[in-house]
Amino acid sequence: MTMRTLFTRIRSMAIAGVVMSVTALGAQTVVAPPDNKYTPAQDVELGQKAAREAEQQLPMLRDEEVTSLVTSIGRRLVESIPRELQHPEFRYSFQVVNVREINAFALPGGPMFVNRGMIEAARTEGEVAGVMAHEMSHVALRHGTAQATKATKYEVGELLGAVVGSIIGGRVGGAVAQGTQFGLGAAFLRFSREFERDADLLGSHIMAGAGYNPLEMANMFKTIEKQSGSGGPQWLSDHPDPGDRSAYITREAQMLRVRDVVRDTRAFTQAQARLRRMAPAPTTEEATRNATGRRGSAPPSNGGRRGPSGDVASPSSSYTSYTEGNLFRVSVPSNWRELPGSEAVTFAPDGAYGNTGQQGGNFTHGMEIGIARNETHDLQTATEELVSTFAAGNPNLSRPSAYERLTIGRRQGLRTALSNGSNATGQQERIAVFTMLLPDGNLFYALGVAPRDRFSEYDGAFRRVIGSIEIMQ
Ligand SMILES: [Zn+2]
């Protein structure tokens, strides 16, 4: 099981009140930034740190012509960000990643990364600008830290760890190691439908101000959908369609006047021609596999050791108690160690870790316990939603089929069991999923993971751990 950050799992499960209002008939929609407990300076700090990690981990395309095209589109767009959303401390920057998937991402405070595959797939410069304007809108509206604000537990220091961990753990250890697309998706990169709609609308305003037809954004989203075999799904899973995406972008576009229309896009066609002359871009998986090799694949920094399943000891029959902040107490087999993540906590025996060398990478035996944002009052629906977020990084994960009712921390809970192909070993594993709604409505969950052939041995320990849980809120 790939451990993703808590934030990956935080998804608005309802399309909450859309943060916008129509000022007057025929006027463009007003898009406002959501609540945010972080400062713009913290956005910058988090984003810069995450950007440095991304630059180390991903192959940057250091080609002056292509980079200058993306930079000039980006600068035009930045100038059209509405005044009230311009944060003077933000530092917008634009880089091209030399990978094939049609994807792009932007980090808090301004660093933006556009995949070469995106530039190659676009039919016009305006389509590239559309995706960039959408990404830029998430940055200007500070959606990344707004999502973190919704999480109850984390302070900025922990959040920083979560971002970096998500880039390394989520991408190299997770979806990419699995052979799928760029799985960076985490704290700052996977948004609720409400935020998506706001980013589409603000993006259309920014495009119009910069001289691009906002309809080209909708066109690019269609292109991404069509090319779902080569990286579209990752962009779409980070930026879910709120529904009627094309329709409302089209309606909004009718309210907008495009100023200073960009007519000469020779730079775009030349950049595309230049890319066609280069060797084809690798997939992100190929690129990061090589990167990992170059970095020497040092032993995991958490002291873990990857061994065949048989090397991992059985759960001890004696138990040790842990208290997690003011959230919960739990007892786990005393030969399991706590691997504190910056969000969820994992308890695992020696040798049960994947080889990504990061906390919160893969683990093959043990339990992860955490809390996920939830806005539904129905435990089973919330559980299914949680499982579907795991499925994004674990394409071989089965669907829950049967539920068992049980008690967790004196509240009613559910248990279901899933099968999965382990990211760490490639072998089949079983995952017991335990869930319960907390008094504040969020979802408490625990995942017990073991190789299929040892699951029956571990399942007793999982149940005993669950039986020990005391909720402290
Ligand atoms: Zn988005």
Side-chain angles (χ1 to χ4, degrees):
M1 188 69 189
T2 300
M3 184 169 129
R4 324 268 310 225
T5 73
L6 173 66
F7 303 108
T8 339
R9 299 183 184 129
I10 295 167
R11 300 177 75 185
S12 289
M13 297 193 187
I15 299 173
V18 177
V19 186
M20 60 182 184
S21 62
V22 177
T23 48
L25 193 64
Q28 67 191 55
T29 310
V30 175
V31 182
D35 286 347
N36 199 318
K37 73 172 181 184
Y38 299 92
T39 63
Q42 286 173 321
D43 276 48
V44 172
E45 183 195 352
L46 292 162
Q48 291 296 321
K49 177 119 195 209
R52 280 194 294 276
E53 292 291 340
E55 284 163 22
Q56 277 177 14
Q57 299 284 327
L58 295 170
M60 295 297 133
L61 182 73
R62 304 196 191 280
D63 179 89
E64 205 175 309
E65 193 173 326
V66 179
T67 305
S68 83
L69 167 75
V70 170
T71 303
S72 76
I73 297 172
R75 295 245 162 87
R76 281 184 81 102
L77 296 171
V78 168
E79 282 169 21
S80 298
I81 296 173
R83 190 172 303 276
E84 65 277 12
L85 297 174
Q86 281 176 6
H87 299 286
E89 54 275 78
F90 278 18
R91 283 182 268 163
Y92 288 94
S93 61
F94 307 92
Q95 295 203 68
V96 180
V97 185
N98 190 27
V99 292
R100 188 182 302 171
E101 290 86 353
I102 306 176
N103 205 355
F105 65 97
L107 295 164
M112 190 185 297
F113 297 83
V114 181
N115 279 6
R116 176 177 161 189
M118 175 76 78
I119 303 167
E120 288 175 320
R123 288 171 306 177
T124 64
E125 178 174 323
E127 291 192 355
V128 176
V131 169
M132 292 177 68
H134 176 99
E135 296 286 352
M136 190 176 287
S137 298
H138 283 307
V139 174
L141 293 163
R142 306 182 55 221
H143 281 166
T145 46
Q147 302 241 120
T149 298
K150 289 201 252 173
T152 47
K153 189 178 158 189
Y154 305 104
E155 296 307 324
V156 71
E158 295 173 297
L159 192 56
L160 195 54
V163 183
V164 174
S166 70
I167 287 182
I168 300 166
R171 188 177 54 76
V172 176
V176 166
Q178 185 79 19
T180 58
Q181 326 78 17
F182 187 34
L184 181 67
F188 299 129
L189 305 178
R190 185 160 297 176
F191 298 107
S192 68
R193 288 172 171 79
E194 175 196 345
F195 286 1
E196 281 310 300
R197 187 181 161 94
D198 283 356
D200 289 341
L201 294 171
L202 180 61
S204 68
H205 305 167
I206 292 173
M207 286 185 81
Y212 296 104
N213 182 345
L215 294 178
E216 301 216 66
M217 176 167 46
N219 291 342
M220 189 68 206
F221 294 163
K222 282 184 204 148
T223 300
I224 291 171
E225 253 169 64
K226 265 189 249 148
Q227 307 221 3
S228 59
S230 51
Q234 185 60 48
W235 196 90
L236 289 169
S237 92
D238 289 348
H239 303 270
D241 185 344
D244 297 335
R245 194 163 220 164
S246 282
Y248 66 72
I249 293 173
T250 304
R251 268 199 307 279
E252 192 73 9
Q254 288 162 358
M255 310 294 175
L256 299 167
R257 197 166 56 84
V258 181
R259 291 192 294 264
D260 309 325
V261 179
V262 175
R263 288 210 170 79
D264 180 4
T265 61
R266 245 179 317 180
F268 172 72
T269 50
Q270 280 171 4
Q272 276 196 329
R274 190 174 172 81
L275 291 175
R276 276 196 295 273
R277 289 194 298 270
M278 294 178 190
T283 63
T284 304
E285 193 246 341
E286 289 163 352
T288 52
R289 195 201 294 139
N290 295 339
T292 306
R294 276 200 302 279
R295 289 160 68 84
S297 296
S301 57
N302 60 13
R305 171 175 65 86
R306 182 185 181 186
S309 169
D311 287 351
V312 178
S314 299
S316 167
S317 58
S318 68
Y319 276 62
T320 306
S321 174
Y322 291 85
T323 301
E324 295 303 325
N326 54 358
L327 294 169
F328 61 90
R329 253 194 298 274
V330 63
S331 294
V332 305
S334 47
N335 63 340
W336 291 6
R337 287 195 296 139
E338 182 178 9
L339 310 174
S342 41
E343 49 318 286
V345 62
T346 302
F347 297 96
D350 277 354
Y353 323 123
N355 62 349
T356 61
Q358 290 300 318
Q359 275 174 358
N362 304 321
F363 67 106
T364 52
H365 306 60
M367 287 191 95
E368 176 193 326
I369 302 175
I371 294 168
R373 180 81 177 168
N374 170 43
E375 288 168 11
T376 168
H377 296 294
D378 168 359
L379 177 59
Q380 186 171 326
T381 307
T383 304
E384 279 159 9
E385 190 75 32
L386 178 77
V387 169
S388 72
T389 66
F390 302 153
N394 294 278
N396 300 315
L397 189 68
S398 68
R399 312 286 314 163
S401 52
Y403 287 92
E404 174 191 335
R405 288 178 182 279
L406 75 178
T407 300
I408 305 176
R410 292 191 296 196
R411 298 176 74 83
Q412 190 206 301
L414 287 178
R415 176 191 181 279
T416 188
L418 309 172
S419 60
N420 188 41
S422 166
N423 289 340
T425 63
Q427 304 297 309
Q428 282 296 308
E429 64 185 7
R430 296 275 287 167
I431 302 166
V433 180
F434 301 88
T435 53
M436 178 263 287
L437 290 177
L438 291 166
D440 69 5
N442 284 324
L443 186 70
F444 177 93
Y445 71 87
L447 309 175
V449 180
R452 187 171 59 185
D453 58 353
R454 297 189 69 188
F455 184 74
S456 55
E457 178 192 346
Y458 271 74
D459 194 33
F462 298 154
R463 289 178 183 275
R464 191 165 160 191
V465 170
I466 291 298
S468 76
I469 284 168
E470 287 174 64
I471 300 297
M472 293 160 75
Q473 60 173 247

